[in-house]
Amino acid sequence: MLALISGSAWPQTQDTSPALRLDNECVSCDRERSRSVSNGRNETAKRSMADVPMLLRLDKDCPTCQASDPLRPSISEAILAIQVNLEAKGDFLVQIAQNGDVLVRESDLRDLGVTNVPYEVSTIEREPYVSLRSLPGVTLDFDRARLVLSIRIDPRTLARRQVVDLSPQRNPNVRYPAPAGAFFNYNVTQSHDDLTGAGTSAAAGEFGWRLGEYLLTGDAIATEDRLSGETRRTRLNTSLIRDWRDTLQRLAVGDFVTVPQSVLGSSLRLGGVSLSRRFDIDPYYVRFPGQIVSGTAALPSEIFIFSNGALVRRERVSPGTFDLQNLVSVTGLQVTEVVVRDVLGNEQRIVDPFYFTDTLLREGLDEYSIDIGAERRDFGTRSNNYGAAGLSTFYRRGISDSLTLGARAEALDGRANLGPTATMRLGTLGVLSTGLAYSSGPLGDGAAVNFAHTYQSRRAGASVALRFEDRAYARAASSTIGARRYDFSATASYSLSASNGVGVAFTSTAPWGAPSTRTASVTYRQRITRDVFMVATARHSAGANPGDELLFSLTWSLDGPFAQRPVLTAQAQRQGDRHVETLQLSGGNPDAEGPLYRLAAERQTDNQLSRTVLNPLLQYNFTRASVRAEAFHDSLTQATRTDIGVQGGVAAVGGEWALSRPVRDSFAIVKVGDAEGVRVYANNQSVGRTGSDGTLFVPRLASYFENPVAVEDKDLPLDYTVPETRFIVSPALRSGVLLDFRARQVKAVAGKLVRREADTVQAFGDADGSVTVEGKALPILTARDGSFYVENVAAGRYRGEATRRGERCGFELRVPESREIVVDLREVTCEN
């Protein structure tokens, strides 16, 4: 509706309603105003427009629309629904001039999203208004029948720049349970050799115990040689670990292995303290620089994002500019195409190639590790043999989205090296990594340098790596290989089609004081059918180990009775006079209940000498343990060795405990009341059914990931209810979680509410009230004889109250355990 106002009341009759005069009805209004401004009074007119309030003129006939002051044309106040580039912005109070201009309040202009353009300001009743006609490039379309004003303007001038984050999103309903629980894994194996009549017994154990935010873990192994009678017990690793989710830091005290950050470094096994930034604490944290695609939508639009021709995302955007951020995909060159389709069906396309790599850090992001301790010696054979002090540390920082710089250092037992590292993206031409190192060791000081370049696209890939080391160059960890004069490798691959491809590789290595080795190979891959895949490789070696080799393999995925399809693999290898043929059939899911098997046979022929090795394996995963049997038979020696073992675990959390298969990561105990046979799903895979106590142990949840765990409510009895059938949990490292779905058996209760006075019993009828069950008030009504009926009441004691004509009755329902669907409480007595 239009709301028109003036200094005096306007008669509310149809004949005297004021008329809205636009350009085609009153052109002299604008003409006179323009004439006065052009006659040498331009600046004065602008100041007058800004300082003098515009007067409202309600001229019914308006023969000339000429006010006494040409700078004050007649205007009308209205409430209009405004659209900006066909996007509805809501209802706004505006001023409509008789020359067709529309003025909006300056504050409303910001709400319309139009702030990046110059405009004229006028004052109406001491409030600043903006002339929409003064906006450059604006087009107005006023629908007087619907009172809708449509504004079309250059979308680049709109204020809001939309940012669409395409990185993996966290589920808003995910639960982060407090770290808790404990577990113990065991593996007992008996081996027997028919040839010698001897055998060994081995037992391995691993424990984990959550001490609040701290995780204490340890493992050990014990072996007994029945021939010699020797028994050996060895502690392996013991660590105390603390993770911080907010800062992605990990503190480890105990035994650990360092991870080299360069081919110029080494890996150390230490016992000590480690502080590092670990991005795997938050798997959804985007640490790699992703692609950013910018565009402009003239109207409300839907955008379609294609990566290498495949649709990966759909989003909706409003008119204006937009940025698509964190477009991450597989490593290599990505050709991203963004199709912007507006509400009128018009399309625009944006094509942007981008090289994605996971070796770079986002600008301003850093990672580090500081590892200090004593060298762990004779690992696996001695429990507590620690040696010299050692150090390993590195630091990397994203200088830009295309450059990451870092430094690393390591030292142990008189050997040390350090140096800088750099990783840079070369536009769409791949990634270059380089490092320098200076070392001090038994042979004196030395230096080393390495370069590596990788490139990968949808069809082609290539890599080159080159390393030079001085004779005296030393790594912190002692090595039997020693320094190398140079080490060179190059690979290239190309997909001829979607089903086949070819690859070549060349390596050349020249150790100091030893002959060099060169190897060249070519590989052809072919998918013959949907289920059959073939690989053929020819390799030539020269230098220290000359020779030729041919390798052919065929893999066939078969149909089988289990969810995971069996795989048949046939392989033939020829290396000089040596021939090896292998045939293997394997199947089963190692993470699910059921069988896991492998049947392998290998035949070797060398200089007229032939041997066949058979290696069958069968494992069955029960709910509470896994039993495994394996055999080896050598036709040359007629030796047969058999291994029989059982492995499992014990876990506890939240006052519940369970026997299970080994706990490899985090775990859960699912509780569904006392309902038996309810199917449970973890990560959308069936993991079993609840037992007679209504619980099921889930032995594997991925730490820090979002793990959906659900129950099949169709398996619940009809008189059971469950508030939720699906949880999403993100447990801490090797932590347990108790998932109580609070399933309970609900029953209806019936009875008669009575009042006892002396020796008389009177029905408390025609009353209404409520009974409180688990914090919820359930209504209760009594008939004339006092009888009542209430549903969804489990076994227990519940307080209630009923009233009639001002008379109150307080009572308690005592509901016993029962298999009956309706429990008859007989008489329930008022207690007041």
Side-chain angles (χ1 to χ4, degrees), residues 32 67 99 125 175 343 385 496 580 666 725 729 733 787:
E32 289 298 324
N99 64 6
E125 295 183 356
R175 301 185 179 195
V343 292
N385 186 15
L496 301 173
V580 179
S666 296
T725 60
V729 293
L733 178 67
S787 60

Side-chain angles (χ1 to χ4, degrees), residues 443-457:
L443 300 180
D445 297 338
V449 60
N450 79 284
F451 303 92
H453 176 266
T454 59
Y455 173 84
Q456 184 67 48
S457 68

Side-chain angles (χ1 to χ4, degrees), residues 164-170 284-286 313 325-328:
V164 181
D165 189 355
L166 300 178
S167 60
Q169 298 299 306
R170 296 172 175 83
Y284 305 97
Y285 185 84
V286 180
R313 197 76 171 262
Q325 294 186 351
N326 296 322
L327 274 158
V328 295

Side-chain angles (χ1 to χ4, degrees), residues 245-481:
R245 286 204 186 207
D246 53 347
T247 60
L248 306 181
Q249 289 179 302
R250 172 171 295 172
L251 174 67
V253 180
D255 301 307
F256 53 85
V257 178
T258 66
V259 179
Q261 293 298 309
S262 170
V263 295
L264 303 180
S266 58
S267 178
L268 305 180
R269 185 179 291 275
L270 302 175
V273 180
S274 172
L275 178 63
S276 59
R277 188 171 198 185
R278 301 290 294 269
F279 292 107
D280 56 358
I281 295 177
D282 184 355
Y284 305 97
Y285 185 84
V286 180
R287 59 169 169 157
F288 313 123
Q291 185 178 9
I292 299 177
V293 178
S294 299
T296 302
L299 303 175
S301 304
E302 186 173 17
I303 56 177
F304 301 83
I305 305 165
F306 296 85
S307 179
N308 290 336
L311 179 65
V312 296
R313 197 76 171 262
R314 296 174 64 174
E315 295 286 339
R316 293 186 179 276
V317 295
S318 299
T321 56
F322 60 83
D323 287 336
L324 305 179
Q325 294 186 351
N326 296 322
L327 274 158
V328 295
S329 187
V330 296
T331 300
L333 180 63
Q334 310 295 318
V335 178
T336 301
E337 183 178 11
V338 178
V339 178
V340 184
R341 182 182 300 162
D342 64 31
V343 292
L344 299 181
N346 302 312
E347 286 189 358
Q348 60 169 312
R349 295 177 180 267
I350 305 171
V351 179
D352 186 22
F354 179 80
Y355 197 92
F356 175 73
T357 176
D358 58 3
T359 59
L360 291 170
L361 295 176
R362 287 191 292 109
E363 181 178 355
L365 189 63
D366 54 11
E367 66 173 338
Y368 55 85
S369 179
I370 304 173
D371 309 311
I372 303 174
E375 181 186 16
R376 182 78 185 271
R377 298 175 176 174
D378 301 321
F379 179 78
T381 59
R382 298 183 62 181
S383 298
N384 300 296
N385 186 15
Y386 292 91
L391 164 71
S392 178
T393 183
F394 77 87
Y395 177 82
R396 298 176 72 233
R397 183 175 180 83
I399 305 303
S400 69
D401 283 351
S402 297
L403 177 63
T404 297
L405 298 180
R408 44 160 296 278
E410 60 181 26
L412 177 66
D413 197 19
R415 301 179 299 274
N417 70 53
L418 56 86
T421 62
T423 304
M424 63 195 74
R425 178 170 43 221
L426 306 178
T428 59
L429 300 180
V431 176
L432 175 65
S433 301
T434 184
L436 298 173
Y438 171 81
S439 74
S440 176
L443 300 180
D445 297 338
V449 60
N450 79 284
F451 303 92
H453 176 266
T454 59
Y455 173 84
Q456 184 67 48
S457 68
R458 182 172 57 173
R459 300 193 64 174
S463 66
V464 177
L466 179 61
R467 182 170 81 241
F468 297 99
E469 298 175 356
D470 285 343
R471 181 188 294 271
Y473 183 74
R475 292 172 172 80
S478 59
S479 173
T480 57
I481 299 177

Side-chain angles (χ1 to χ4, degrees), residues 620-691:
Y620 197 93
N621 294 333
F622 295 94
T623 301
R624 294 180 171 83
S626 296
V627 179
R628 182 172 182 267
E630 186 175 8
F632 300 86
H633 176 74
D634 190 336
S635 64
L636 183 64
T637 61
Q638 292 299 310
T640 300
R641 194 189 81 203
T642 56
D643 296 337
I644 299 177
V646 59
Q647 55 183 348
V650 182
V653 63
E656 300 283 343
W657 69 278
L659 295 172
S660 76
R661 300 188 298 277
V663 178
R664 305 301 185 190
D665 199 347
S666 296
F667 62 92
I669 294 180
V670 175
K671 187 173 181 59
V672 194
D674 58 358
E676 182 180 2
V678 179
R679 282 171 289 179
V680 179
Y681 303 89
N683 294 307
N684 303 316
Q685 298 292 325
S686 177
V687 293
R689 292 178 179 264
T690 57

Side-chain angles (χ1 to χ4, degrees), residues 103-167:
L103 297 95
V104 300
R105 288 178 294 195
E106 188 175 20
S107 59
D108 289 341
L109 192 67
R110 289 190 291 269
D111 294 336
L112 294 173
V114 183
T115 59
N116 294 334
V117 294
Y119 52 80
E120 295 179 5
V121 178
S122 301
T123 303
I124 302 177
E125 295 183 356
R126 293 182 296 278
E127 187 170 3
Y129 276 75
V130 175
S131 166
L132 293 183
R133 279 189 172 178
S134 70
L135 305 179
V138 71
T139 301
L140 304 180
D141 184 9
F142 179 34
D143 187 338
R144 284 180 285 175
R146 297 189 301 121
L147 298 180
V148 175
L149 176 65
S150 181
I151 303 173
R152 296 292 291 270
I153 194 169
D154 187 343
R156 292 172 296 182
T157 65
L158 298 178
R160 185 178 61 169
R161 188 175 191 89
Q162 303 164 86
V163 176
V164 181
D165 189 355
L166 300 178
S167 60

